Amino acid sequence: MPRLAVIAGIGETAITPPGSGRPSDTMTLESARAACLDAGIEPSRIDAIVKYTYDGSLSGMALAATLGCAEVNALVEIPMGGGSSAALVDIARMLVESGRAQAVLCFRTLAGDEWLKQMITADPLRPYYLDGSNYLRESGWTGYLHSFAALYAEYESRHHLSREALFRSANALRANAAKNKVAIATTPLSRDEYFDESARTVGPFTRFDEYAVADLSCAAVVTAHGFTDRPDREVRIIASAQSHGPSAKTWFDLRPLTNTYPESPSSWVARKIYAEAKIEPRQVDVALMYDCTSFTVLDLVETYQLCEPGGVAELLADDAFRADGTRPVNTHGGDFAAGYSAGFRHVLEATRQLRWEADNQVPDAEFAVVAAPQIGPTSGAVLQRSAG
Amino acid sequence: MQSTELVVFGRSDPSHGVQALADEFRTIAREHRTAVAQRCDSCASTQFPPMLACPVCGCAGLSWVSCGDTARVGTFVTVHTAQATPSMSIPRRLRAVVPYTSVFAAPDAVPDVRVPALMLGPQQRDIRVGSAVGFGFSDDYGLLANLLG
């Protein structure tokens, strides 16, 4: 009988604006313990840890020692930036389904101000990091927003997506955030503030089109079905995949130098996970799409075939992203409005939705898709409500 | 289809690592004042940015080639502000020329790649994906893209 990997437990710290003063290492410990508690297992039973490379809060080695893990069968770091979110679940699943680990802890912690500094700091351990500076800076590259602004231009040339749609996207995510107990940006944006020319930054974006910076930590425990004594709380991982897509580049920011749009690392992942899950996109009840910008999420909705090409503007006009809408998306407000987690809180929200315990619940949710961003090596997963 | 008649500026030397390769690229581009890509000596595939080895055939024999004078806009990004934000910074030498546009253009002579160039001035209002551009070069700003026609 093949082992089926499930998300057995989730946990997180409070989400606060940046500068809370909470040390990131203690936040990691807190969320890790909370996930173990939710799974109903002692932290000592964790025997593998999977984390984002760029999470400097606590190494896997230090966390395993502090949790008192009886043994560690794997310590893994995923270097794909935001693309890592579902990849953590994918790797955990591989470990569990192969029998190499029993209980895998996955986590992401961010101290918002530290993260912003880290994003613009060269790192000698990642030599290709400088490819963005080396090849794009002279022509005016400004940072990660440049890549998504370039993606917007390619989309807009095919389907026309106005700044009005981005305004609606930002407010749709804030509206979803407002229905949750914990979120950073819940107040609707006014037209005056959004369309004020002084708010313009890069491409179609304003300073309101980026994610909400926060201090937070979130964790999940992946086990085999039946490992814990709480099978009714398990969420099944029925598909997961990673891809670097067509035209692989050496660093995320080089995505505008590719010419394969709309094909992307995410379109390759989407095909893989729908095929593995044996479901059609129309069967997805709730979509948790990476949303570092107001456009990123819209492009992923189409990439994952959750509407027709060019149809996402109509979804926004119809207010479809609501939990009771026709296409629920980022019901927690996403990283965009709830607080930036490099996409990992999307895994937690998917789990809550499928347990039917979310603050902003989609009625009768059975399938959730989690999608990481489309500009570099990336990942995605399909989760299903447990039959138990 | 790669042109076999591209002007070759000499061998690229990946043996000293990625940063040295980037430094070499900058030297070649400034010396010849044109758009430059890397071409495999074995299979003639082209790439930008340059790589340590050909990703198609694995050959380490690579050369710098000219991309010609004209291109089509693949995508572009206009920068509207000279003010940095926590997640973005404007290159210091470009702050005085905001708004400016980063253009990612597919050279007509090397259509499989895109190269980055800078567009300045009122022409930015008319740039579209697919626009025809001509390359220029500025000592202050490097490779420039100007709308044609």
Side-chain angles (χ1 to χ4, degrees), chain A residues 276-323:
Chain A
E276 183 181 13
K278 297 185 176 57
I279 67 167
E280 298 292 324
R282 62 178 169 76
Q283 292 177 263
V284 172
D285 297 301
V286 57
L288 293 313
M289 305 274 111
Y290 197 83
D291 55 352
C292 57
T293 76
S294 55
F295 171 69
T296 310
V297 55
L298 304 182
D299 185 63
L300 284 172
V301 166
E302 294 207 10
T303 298
Y304 275 75
Q305 303 162 57
L306 300 174
C307 66
E308 290 299 313
V312 73
E314 195 174 326
L315 287 183
L316 287 168
D318 291 343
D319 233 358
F321 287 2
R322 299 191 323 266

Short mmCIF file of all heavy atoms in Angstrom, two decimals, chain A residues 276-323:
data_model
loop_
_atom_site.label_atom_id
_atom_site.label_comp_id
_atom_site.label_asym_id
_atom_site.label_seq_id
_atom_site.Cartn_x
_atom_site.Cartn_y
_atom_site.Cartn_z
N GLU A 276 -1.21 14.90 -12.27
CA GLU A 276 -1.01 13.96 -11.16
C GLU A 276 -2.26 13.84 -10.30
O GLU A 276 -2.64 12.76 -9.88
CB GLU A 276 0.18 14.40 -10.29
CG GLU A 276 0.44 13.39 -9.17
CD GLU A 276 1.59 13.76 -8.25
OE1 GLU A 276 2.05 14.92 -8.29
OE2 GLU A 276 1.98 12.88 -7.47
N ALA A 277 -2.89 14.97 -10.00
CA ALA A 277 -4.08 14.97 -9.16
C ALA A 277 -5.28 14.39 -9.87
O ALA A 277 -6.27 14.02 -9.24
CB ALA A 277 -4.39 16.39 -8.69
N LYS A 278 -5.20 14.36 -11.19
CA LYS A 278 -6.32 13.88 -12.02
C LYS A 278 -7.57 14.72 -11.77
O LYS A 278 -8.69 14.18 -11.64
CB LYS A 278 -6.61 12.39 -11.78
CG LYS A 278 -5.47 11.47 -12.16
CD LYS A 278 -5.89 10.01 -12.01
CE LYS A 278 -4.82 9.05 -12.48
NZ LYS A 278 -3.53 9.17 -11.83
N ILE A 279 -7.36 16.02 -11.67
CA ILE A 279 -8.51 16.92 -11.60
C ILE A 279 -8.39 17.99 -12.68
O ILE A 279 -7.30 18.24 -13.20
CB ILE A 279 -8.66 17.60 -10.22
CG1 ILE A 279 -7.50 18.58 -9.95
CG2 ILE A 279 -8.78 16.57 -9.10
CD1 ILE A 279 -7.76 19.50 -8.76
N GLU A 280 -9.52 18.59 -12.99
CA GLU A 280 -9.55 19.70 -13.92
C GLU A 280 -9.46 21.00 -13.13
O GLU A 280 -9.92 21.06 -11.98
CB GLU A 280 -10.86 19.70 -14.71
CG GLU A 280 -11.08 18.48 -15.57
CD GLU A 280 -10.09 18.44 -16.72
OE1 GLU A 280 -9.76 19.53 -17.24
OE2 GLU A 280 -9.64 17.33 -17.09
N PRO A 281 -8.95 22.07 -13.73
CA PRO A 281 -8.89 23.35 -13.01
C PRO A 281 -10.26 23.78 -12.47
O PRO A 281 -10.36 24.37 -11.40
CB PRO A 281 -8.37 24.33 -14.07
CG PRO A 281 -7.55 23.48 -14.98
CD PRO A 281 -8.25 22.15 -15.03
N ARG A 282 -11.32 23.46 -13.17
CA ARG A 282 -12.65 23.90 -12.73
C ARG A 282 -13.03 23.25 -11.40
O ARG A 282 -13.93 23.72 -10.71
CB ARG A 282 -13.70 23.58 -13.79
CG ARG A 282 -13.86 22.11 -14.07
CD ARG A 282 -14.96 21.80 -15.10
NE ARG A 282 -14.88 20.40 -15.50
CZ ARG A 282 -15.30 19.39 -14.77
NH1 ARG A 282 -15.86 19.60 -13.59
NH2 ARG A 282 -15.17 18.14 -15.19
N GLN A 283 -12.37 22.17 -11.03
CA GLN A 283 -12.68 21.49 -9.78
C GLN A 283 -11.99 22.13 -8.57
O GLN A 283 -12.27 21.76 -7.42
CB GLN A 283 -12.27 20.03 -9.85
CG GLN A 283 -13.10 19.19 -10.80
CD GLN A 283 -12.58 17.76 -10.88
OE1 GLN A 283 -11.83 17.43 -11.79
NE2 GLN A 283 -12.95 16.94 -9.93
N VAL A 284 -11.08 23.06 -8.82
CA VAL A 284 -10.39 23.72 -7.72
C VAL A 284 -11.39 24.61 -6.98
O VAL A 284 -12.01 25.49 -7.58
CB VAL A 284 -9.21 24.55 -8.24
CG1 VAL A 284 -8.60 25.40 -7.12
CG2 VAL A 284 -8.15 23.64 -8.86
N ASP A 285 -11.54 24.40 -5.70
CA ASP A 285 -12.51 25.19 -4.91
C ASP A 285 -11.89 26.47 -4.38
O ASP A 285 -12.59 27.47 -4.19
CB ASP A 285 -13.02 24.34 -3.74
CG ASP A 285 -13.79 23.12 -4.22
OD1 ASP A 285 -14.80 23.32 -4.94
OD2 ASP A 285 -13.37 21.99 -3.92
N VAL A 286 -10.61 26.42 -4.07
CA VAL A 286 -9.94 27.62 -3.56
C VAL A 286 -8.51 27.61 -4.06
O VAL A 286 -7.83 26.58 -4.03
CB VAL A 286 -10.03 27.70 -2.02
CG1 VAL A 286 -9.43 26.47 -1.36
CG2 VAL A 286 -9.37 28.96 -1.49
N ALA A 287 -8.07 28.76 -4.54
CA ALA A 287 -6.73 28.89 -5.11
C ALA A 287 -5.90 29.82 -4.24
O ALA A 287 -6.34 30.93 -3.90
CB ALA A 287 -6.82 29.45 -6.53
N LEU A 288 -4.72 29.35 -3.86
CA LEU A 288 -3.81 30.17 -3.07
C LEU A 288 -2.61 30.48 -3.96
O LEU A 288 -1.73 29.63 -4.14
CB LEU A 288 -3.39 29.45 -1.79
CG LEU A 288 -4.47 29.18 -0.74
CD1 LEU A 288 -5.31 30.43 -0.47
CD2 LEU A 288 -5.34 28.01 -1.04
N MET A 289 -2.63 31.64 -4.56
CA MET A 289 -1.68 32.03 -5.60
C MET A 289 -0.70 33.04 -5.04
O MET A 289 -1.10 34.02 -4.38
CB MET A 289 -2.42 32.69 -6.77
CG MET A 289 -3.54 31.86 -7.36
SD MET A 289 -2.93 30.72 -8.62
CE MET A 289 -3.16 29.16 -7.81
N TYR A 290 0.59 32.83 -5.33
CA TYR A 290 1.60 33.77 -4.88
C TYR A 290 1.21 35.18 -5.30
O TYR A 290 0.74 35.39 -6.43
CB TYR A 290 2.95 33.39 -5.50
CG TYR A 290 4.15 34.00 -4.82
CD1 TYR A 290 4.69 33.42 -3.68
CD2 TYR A 290 4.74 35.15 -5.34
CE1 TYR A 290 5.81 33.97 -3.06
CE2 TYR A 290 5.84 35.71 -4.72
CZ TYR A 290 6.37 35.11 -3.58
OH TYR A 290 7.47 35.65 -2.96
N ASP A 291 1.41 36.14 -4.40
CA ASP A 291 0.87 37.47 -4.66
C ASP A 291 1.77 38.57 -4.12
O ASP A 291 1.32 39.45 -3.38
CB ASP A 291 -0.56 37.59 -4.09
CG ASP A 291 -0.64 37.25 -2.61
OD1 ASP A 291 0.37 36.78 -2.03
OD2 ASP A 291 -1.72 37.46 -2.03
N CYS A 292 3.04 38.55 -4.52
CA CYS A 292 3.93 39.62 -4.07
C CYS A 292 3.52 40.97 -4.66
O CYS A 292 3.85 42.02 -4.11
CB CYS A 292 5.38 39.31 -4.40
SG CYS A 292 5.70 39.02 -6.14
N THR A 293 2.82 40.95 -5.81
CA THR A 293 2.26 42.18 -6.37
C THR A 293 0.81 41.93 -6.76
O THR A 293 0.37 40.78 -6.86
CB THR A 293 3.01 42.66 -7.63
OG1 THR A 293 2.63 41.85 -8.75
CG2 THR A 293 4.51 42.64 -7.45
N SER A 294 0.09 43.04 -7.01
CA SER A 294 -1.31 42.94 -7.40
C SER A 294 -1.48 42.26 -8.75
O SER A 294 -2.55 41.76 -9.05
CB SER A 294 -1.93 44.34 -7.48
OG SER A 294 -1.15 45.15 -8.34
N PHE A 295 -0.42 42.23 -9.57
CA PHE A 295 -0.50 41.57 -10.87
C PHE A 295 -0.09 40.11 -10.81
O PHE A 295 -0.65 39.26 -11.50
CB PHE A 295 0.38 42.30 -11.90
CG PHE A 295 0.50 41.53 -13.19
CD1 PHE A 295 -0.60 41.39 -14.02
CD2 PHE A 295 1.68 40.88 -13.54
CE1 PHE A 295 -0.54 40.64 -15.19
CE2 PHE A 295 1.76 40.13 -14.70
CZ PHE A 295 0.66 40.01 -15.53
N THR A 296 0.91 39.79 -9.99
CA THR A 296 1.44 38.42 -9.91
C THR A 296 0.31 37.40 -9.74
O THR A 296 0.25 36.38 -10.42
CB THR A 296 2.41 38.30 -8.73
OG1 THR A 296 3.36 39.36 -8.79
CG2 THR A 296 3.12 36.97 -8.72
N VAL A 297 -0.60 37.71 -8.83
CA VAL A 297 -1.69 36.79 -8.52
C VAL A 297 -2.62 36.64 -9.73
O VAL A 297 -3.09 35.54 -10.03
CB VAL A 297 -2.47 37.26 -7.27
CG1 VAL A 297 -2.97 38.70 -7.43
CG2 VAL A 297 -3.62 36.34 -6.95
N LEU A 298 -2.85 37.71 -10.46
CA LEU A 298 -3.77 37.66 -11.61
C LEU A 298 -3.18 36.78 -12.71
O LEU A 298 -3.88 35.97 -13.33
CB LEU A 298 -4.02 39.07 -12.15
CG LEU A 298 -4.57 40.09 -11.15
CD1 LEU A 298 -4.82 41.42 -11.85
CD2 LEU A 298 -5.85 39.58 -10.50
N ASP A 299 -1.90 36.95 -12.97
CA ASP A 299 -1.25 36.15 -13.99
C ASP A 299 -1.27 34.67 -13.62
O ASP A 299 -1.47 33.81 -14.47
CB ASP A 299 0.19 36.64 -14.19
CG ASP A 299 0.89 35.93 -15.33
OD1 ASP A 299 0.44 36.08 -16.48
OD2 ASP A 299 1.88 35.23 -15.08
N LEU A 300 -1.09 34.39 -12.33
CA LEU A 300 -1.10 32.98 -11.90
C LEU A 300 -2.51 32.38 -12.01
O LEU A 300 -2.66 31.20 -12.30
CB LEU A 300 -0.58 32.85 -10.48
CG LEU A 300 0.95 32.97 -10.35
CD1 LEU A 300 1.36 33.02 -8.89
CD2 LEU A 300 1.66 31.82 -11.05
N VAL A 301 -3.53 33.17 -11.75
CA VAL A 301 -4.91 32.66 -11.90
C VAL A 301 -5.10 32.15 -13.34
O VAL A 301 -5.67 31.09 -13.57
CB VAL A 301 -5.93 33.75 -11.55
CG1 VAL A 301 -7.33 33.37 -12.02
CG2 VAL A 301 -5.95 33.99 -10.04
N GLU A 302 -4.60 32.89 -14.30
CA GLU A 302 -4.72 32.46 -15.69
C GLU A 302 -3.77 31.32 -16.01
O GLU A 302 -4.16 30.38 -16.71
CB GLU A 302 -4.47 33.64 -16.63
CG GLU A 302 -5.54 34.71 -16.51
CD GLU A 302 -5.72 35.52 -17.78
OE1 GLU A 302 -5.18 35.17 -18.83
OE2 GLU A 302 -6.44 36.54 -17.70
N THR A 303 -2.54 31.40 -15.49
CA THR A 303 -1.57 30.34 -15.75
C THR A 303 -2.09 29.00 -15.26
O THR A 303 -1.87 27.96 -15.90
CB THR A 303 -0.25 30.67 -15.04
OG1 THR A 303 0.27 31.90 -15.58
CG2 THR A 303 0.79 29.58 -15.25
N TYR A 304 -2.78 29.01 -14.14
CA TYR A 304 -3.33 27.79 -13.59
C TYR A 304 -4.72 27.48 -14.15
O TYR A 304 -5.44 26.62 -13.63
CB TYR A 304 -3.35 27.85 -12.05
CG TYR A 304 -2.03 27.42 -11.45
CD1 TYR A 304 -0.93 28.27 -11.49
CD2 TYR A 304 -1.87 26.16 -10.90
CE1 TYR A 304 0.30 27.87 -10.97
CE2 TYR A 304 -0.65 25.75 -10.38
CZ TYR A 304 0.43 26.61 -10.42
OH TYR A 304 1.65 26.20 -9.92
N GLN A 305 -5.08 28.17 -15.25
CA GLN A 305 -6.29 27.87 -16.02
C GLN A 305 -7.55 27.98 -15.16
O GLN A 305 -8.52 27.25 -15.39
CB GLN A 305 -6.19 26.47 -16.63
CG GLN A 305 -4.96 26.28 -17.51
CD GLN A 305 -4.67 24.80 -17.73
OE1 GLN A 305 -5.51 24.06 -18.22
NE2 GLN A 305 -3.47 24.35 -17.36
N LEU A 306 -7.54 28.90 -14.23
CA LEU A 306 -8.71 29.10 -13.38
C LEU A 306 -9.70 30.06 -14.03
O LEU A 306 -10.75 30.36 -13.46
CB LEU A 306 -8.26 29.59 -12.00
CG LEU A 306 -7.33 28.60 -11.28
CD1 LEU A 306 -6.79 29.21 -9.99
CD2 LEU A 306 -8.06 27.28 -10.99
N CYS A 307 -9.34 30.54 -15.19
CA CYS A 307 -10.26 31.29 -16.05
C CYS A 307 -9.69 31.20 -17.47
O CYS A 307 -8.58 30.68 -17.66
CB CYS A 307 -10.42 32.74 -15.61
SG CYS A 307 -8.93 33.73 -15.79
N GLU A 308 -10.44 31.69 -18.42
CA GLU A 308 -9.93 31.71 -19.80
C GLU A 308 -8.80 32.72 -19.92
O GLU A 308 -8.76 33.70 -19.17
CB GLU A 308 -11.07 32.11 -20.75
CG GLU A 308 -12.16 31.06 -20.89
CD GLU A 308 -11.60 29.77 -21.46
OE1 GLU A 308 -10.85 29.83 -22.46
OE2 GLU A 308 -11.89 28.71 -20.88
N PRO A 309 -7.89 32.54 -20.88
CA PRO A 309 -6.85 33.56 -21.11
C PRO A 309 -7.49 34.92 -21.35
O PRO A 309 -8.42 35.03 -22.16
CB PRO A 309 -6.13 33.06 -22.35
CG PRO A 309 -6.35 31.58 -22.34
CD PRO A 309 -7.72 31.38 -21.76
N GLY A 310 -7.03 35.91 -20.63
CA GLY A 310 -7.61 37.24 -20.76
C GLY A 310 -8.84 37.45 -19.91
O GLY A 310 -9.41 38.54 -19.90
N GLY A 311 -9.26 36.43 -19.15
CA GLY A 311 -10.52 36.52 -18.41
C GLY A 311 -10.43 37.00 -16.98
O GLY A 311 -11.45 37.18 -16.32
N VAL A 312 -9.20 37.22 -16.49
CA VAL A 312 -9.10 37.54 -15.06
C VAL A 312 -9.69 38.91 -14.73
O VAL A 312 -10.22 39.12 -13.63
CB VAL A 312 -7.65 37.40 -14.57
CG1 VAL A 312 -6.77 38.55 -15.06
CG2 VAL A 312 -7.58 37.26 -13.08
N ALA A 313 -9.64 39.85 -15.69
CA ALA A 313 -10.22 41.18 -15.41
C ALA A 313 -11.72 41.05 -15.13
O ALA A 313 -12.27 41.76 -14.27
CB ALA A 313 -9.97 42.11 -16.59
N GLU A 314 -12.37 40.16 -15.86
CA GLU A 314 -13.81 39.96 -15.64
C GLU A 314 -14.07 39.34 -14.27
O GLU A 314 -15.06 39.68 -13.60
CB GLU A 314 -14.36 39.06 -16.73
CG GLU A 314 -15.87 39.08 -16.84
CD GLU A 314 -16.38 38.28 -18.02
OE1 GLU A 314 -15.68 38.26 -19.06
OE2 GLU A 314 -17.44 37.66 -17.88
N LEU A 315 -13.20 38.43 -13.84
CA LEU A 315 -13.35 37.86 -12.50
C LEU A 315 -13.30 38.97 -11.45
O LEU A 315 -14.08 39.00 -10.50
CB LEU A 315 -12.22 36.86 -12.21
CG LEU A 315 -12.25 35.51 -12.91
CD1 LEU A 315 -11.09 34.65 -12.41
CD2 LEU A 315 -13.57 34.79 -12.70
N LEU A 316 -12.36 39.89 -11.63
CA LEU A 316 -12.25 40.99 -10.68
C LEU A 316 -13.50 41.85 -10.70
O LEU A 316 -14.00 42.26 -9.66
CB LEU A 316 -11.03 41.85 -11.01
CG LEU A 316 -9.68 41.22 -10.69
CD1 LEU A 316 -8.57 42.03 -11.34
CD2 LEU A 316 -9.46 41.17 -9.19
N ALA A 317 -13.99 42.14 -11.89
CA ALA A 317 -15.18 42.98 -12.01
C ALA A 317 -16.37 42.32 -11.32
O ALA A 317 -17.26 43.00 -10.80
CB ALA A 317 -15.48 43.25 -13.48
N ASP A 318 -16.38 40.98 -11.34
CA ASP A 318 -17.48 40.24 -10.71
C ASP A 318 -17.23 39.95 -9.23
O ASP A 318 -18.02 39.23 -8.62
CB ASP A 318 -17.68 38.90 -11.44
CG ASP A 318 -18.23 39.09 -12.84
OD1 ASP A 318 -18.76 40.19 -13.11
OD2 ASP A 318 -18.12 38.15 -13.65
N ASP A 319 -16.11 40.45 -8.70
CA ASP A 319 -15.79 40.19 -7.28
C ASP A 319 -15.66 38.70 -7.00
O ASP A 319 -16.07 38.19 -5.95
CB ASP A 319 -16.91 40.76 -6.40
CG ASP A 319 -16.36 41.68 -5.33
OD1 ASP A 319 -15.12 41.83 -5.25
OD2 ASP A 319 -17.14 42.23 -4.55
N ALA A 320 -15.09 37.99 -7.94
CA ALA A 320 -15.09 36.53 -7.87
C ALA A 320 -14.14 35.96 -6.83
O ALA A 320 -14.29 34.80 -6.43
CB ALA A 320 -14.72 35.96 -9.25
N PHE A 321 -13.14 36.75 -6.38
CA PHE A 321 -12.14 36.21 -5.48
C PHE A 321 -12.65 36.00 -4.05
O PHE A 321 -11.97 35.43 -3.22
CB PHE A 321 -10.91 37.14 -5.43
CG PHE A 321 -10.05 37.12 -6.67
CD1 PHE A 321 -10.37 36.36 -7.78
CD2 PHE A 321 -8.89 37.89 -6.71
CE1 PHE A 321 -9.56 36.36 -8.91
CE2 PHE A 321 -8.07 37.89 -7.84
CZ PHE A 321 -8.41 37.14 -8.94
N ARG A 322 -13.86 36.47 -3.76
CA ARG A 322 -14.41 36.29 -2.41
C ARG A 322 -14.59 34.81 -2.11
O ARG A 322 -14.74 33.99 -3.02
CB ARG A 322 -15.77 36.97 -2.29
CG ARG A 322 -15.80 38.45 -2.51
CD ARG A 322 -17.17 39.03 -2.10
NE ARG A 322 -18.27 38.14 -2.43
CZ ARG A 322 -18.99 38.22 -3.54
NH1 ARG A 322 -18.69 39.13 -4.43
NH2 ARG A 322 -19.98 37.38 -3.76
N ALA A 323 -14.67 34.48 -0.83
CA ALA A 323 -14.88 33.09 -0.45
C ALA A 323 -16.20 32.58 -0.98
O ALA A 323 -16.35 31.39 -1.28
CB ALA A 323 -14.84 32.96 1.07
#
